[in-house]
Amino acid sequence: MTLKLGVIADDFTGATDIAGFLVMNGLTTVQLNGVPGGTEKVSADAVVISLKSRSCLAAQAVKDSLASLDWLRAQDCGQVFFKYCSTFDSTAQGNIGPVTDALMAALDTDFTVICPALPVNGRTIYQGYLFVNGVPLNESGMRDHPVTPMRDANLMRLIQMQAQGRAGNVPAQVLDKGVDAVRAALADLKATGVRYAVLDALSDAHLETMGRAVADMALVTGGSGLADGMARAWAVPDRRAAAEAKGQPGKGRAVVLSGSCSQMTNAQVAAYKAKAPALRVAVDRAISDPDYPTELADWVMAQPVGLAPMLYATADPARLKAAQDRFGAARASAAIEQLFGAVAALLEAAGFDQFIVAGGETSGIVTQSLGITGFHIGPQIAPGVPWVRATSKPVSLALKSGNFGSERFFFDAQSLSPTADKDMT
């Protein structure tokens, strides 16, 4: 089978996000966690490699991304896609810019596109400015992100701060004129020395237009919306059901683990704990008490069958700031991640086989702690969030980026499980 598209994603939830859209278009898709081994072979239309390179040191992000590219090229991959978050999470130093430049150099190309838009989830781009649910990025909840606070909505300025060249914009009015007009605009920008073309996107129609316009580019960068637009050109609708079936969750017990502190996850946690067993984890004990994971796992196991019990570190901005001021942001974050990873391993050993996880970093550590290196992609719970099922054992996960999904996401995830005796009201 020809590998049409190779995706290098900068975190776990971003990887499942883009993989879900590819499967929706009937593309057989395998997700691999971490840089694949040199001898690993995959038969699929698309492969998504999920890295933990969003918030690590830029040098490590570049190293892992280039190693992933080497593996994809060894599979005769037709096109490479660097996937980052629809809110362009990054800092003035990286990592989106440094990784993009490194991939461009390795692929011997001096031009690519930038498009994190996902209109179905409220991420749109106009005149090169990124909006979240109708407000500029820097006025959204991302302004106070604990690791990558976003204080500017202008994507041209953001990429130029951390990359090696000039950026330009292809405005929405050009997208409205169709594929040929977009290709002409891209050619004009490249001719003037622009390295990064920021593509406006206000609708799914824009995504489909740009997806066809970039079909011949060696490297494309963006969010899952652009990949969805690209995949529509290859769509095989009659294969969607069969592809999703491989990732359908099983009938075992589930747990919700929420580490994200995004606005939407705060709303989701509030809605869920009003109906289901829920316990807030304590940062100080996560840092200092080696027996704390066992205590939390015992609490989960003691809850009655029904709606999955939830452990959460999700906090509003004031509570989050207080914890960061007391313990340090990096220390507190690492302790919570390790705690959730340890709890997940204990619960799997006790027979839990469904893990609903909120937050990119939390999803990464849970996946690693469960020893999962690859996924089949299953049905979508919300746009950009599918169920996934491990290729090596009967464990299913729903890995949610912080701001994705509706307030009922944790309920919606369980409603897709074959277990039918849950009260979803």
Side-chain angles (χ1 to χ4, degrees):
M1 182 177 292
T2 300
L3 181 57
K4 294 182 174 70
L5 186 67
V7 179
I8 300 170
D10 67 359
D11 81 344
F12 285 88
T13 53
T16 55
D17 168 18
I18 195 169
F21 280 107
L22 296 175
V23 169
M24 281 183 64
N25 285 292
L27 299 181
T28 56
T29 305
V30 172
Q31 179 177 327
L32 302 176
N33 299 326
V35 179
T39 60
E40 191 162 1
K41 298 292 182 182
V42 172
S43 178
D45 294 319
V47 170
V48 179
I49 300 172
S50 58
L51 303 177
K52 193 175 181 181
S53 59
R54 179 170 298 176
S55 56
C56 67
L57 294 176
Q60 186 64 50
V62 167
K63 179 182 177 181
D64 290 346
S65 299
L66 289 177
S68 299
L69 175 63
D70 287 343
W71 183 86
L72 289 171
R73 295 173 87 175
Q75 317 307 308
D76 295 323
C77 177
Q79 190 173 30
V80 177
F81 193 113
F82 171 39
K83 197 277 178 191
Y84 39 76
C85 185
S86 62
T87 48
F88 209 70
D89 293 18
S90 201
T91 68
Q93 294 74 41
N95 292 344
I96 294 174
V99 170
T100 298
D101 283 338
L103 293 174
M104 291 174 74
L107 290 166
D108 194 26
T109 184
D110 58 1
F111 185 75
T112 191
V113 296
I114 305 288
C115 186
L118 186 59
V120 70
N121 273 355
R123 278 62 164 173
T124 55
I125 303 170
Y126 183 68
Q127 298 295 309
Y129 286 80
L130 180 57
F131 291 80
V132 177
N133 294 321
V135 302
L137 175 66
N138 57 302
E139 297 178 18
S140 74
M142 288 303 299
R143 177 178 177 82
D144 298 313
H145 191 283
V147 180
T148 53
M150 302 305 294
R151 304 296 168 81
D152 192 352
N154 187 299
L155 292 170
M156 285 86 75
R157 282 198 295 262
L158 288 170
I159 192 64
Q160 286 177 167
M161 279 193 297
Q162 52 181 279
Q164 301 300 314
R166 289 195 298 118
N169 174 234
V170 179
Q173 295 88 335
V174 174
L175 271 297
D176 290 335
K177 295 177 181 178
V179 175
D180 290 342
V182 174
R183 286 176 176 159
L186 292 173
D188 288 345
L189 288 174
K190 183 177 180 181
T192 62
V194 165
R195 264 174 80 84
Y196 321 99
V198 175
L199 299 168
D200 279 5
L202 301 176
S203 65
D204 284 348
H206 283 166
L207 295 178
E208 186 164 0
T209 295
M210 68 178 69
R212 295 180 184 279
V214 303
D216 296 328
M217 296 183 70
L219 173 69
V220 175
T221 88
S224 57
L226 176 53
D228 182 29
M230 294 167 62
R232 291 177 197 179
W234 303 320
V236 189
D238 60 335
R239 285 167 47 186
R240 174 179 172 179
E244 286 185 347
K246 292 184 178 181
Q248 180 71 39
K251 297 183 178 181
R253 290 199 66 184
V255 63
V256 177
L257 304 173
S258 182
S260 169
C261 291
S262 71
Q263 283 184 329
M264 180 51 73
T265 304
N266 268 280
Q268 290 161 342
V269 166
Y272 193 71
K273 71 181 183 180
K275 297 280 188 178
L279 182 66
R280 180 186 294 278
V281 302
V283 178
D284 57 342
R285 294 193 64 191
I287 291 172
S288 63
D289 187 350
D291 296 325
Y292 194 36
T294 301
E295 178 183 321
L296 293 177
D298 287 344
W299 177 84
V300 171
M301 288 184 275
Q303 302 311 304
V305 173
L307 283 170
M310 175 174 68
L311 298 175
Y312 66 99
T314 301
D316 60 35
R319 190 180 190 114
L320 176 63
K321 184 177 185 302
Q324 292 176 336
D325 289 346
R326 180 180 176 188
F327 302 109
R331 186 184 185 202
S333 178
I336 292 297
E337 288 176 28
Q338 295 299 322
L339 175 69
F340 278 130
V343 170
L346 290 169
L347 291 176
E348 184 199 15
F352 281 70
D353 65 359
Q354 296 178 40
F355 296 84
I356 303 167
V357 189
E361 301 301 317
T362 309
S363 294
I365 195 65
V366 167
T367 303
Q368 292 172 345
S369 298
L370 295 176
I372 296 172
T373 60
F375 296 135
H376 294 296
I377 309 302
Q380 294 260 358
I381 304 163
V385 193
W387 271 105
V388 300
R389 191 173 177 87
T391 57
S392 58
K393 55 185 174 180
V395 171
S396 296
L397 303 98
L399 306 174
K400 187 191 84 72
S401 182
N403 279 307
F404 278 23
S406 71
E407 288 189 7
R408 289 188 54 81
F409 176 83
F410 297 135
F411 299 97
D412 293 342
Q414 293 169 72
S415 73
L416 292 177
S417 169
T419 305
D421 61 348
K422 294 172 181 159
D423 177 9
M424 294 301 160
T425 63

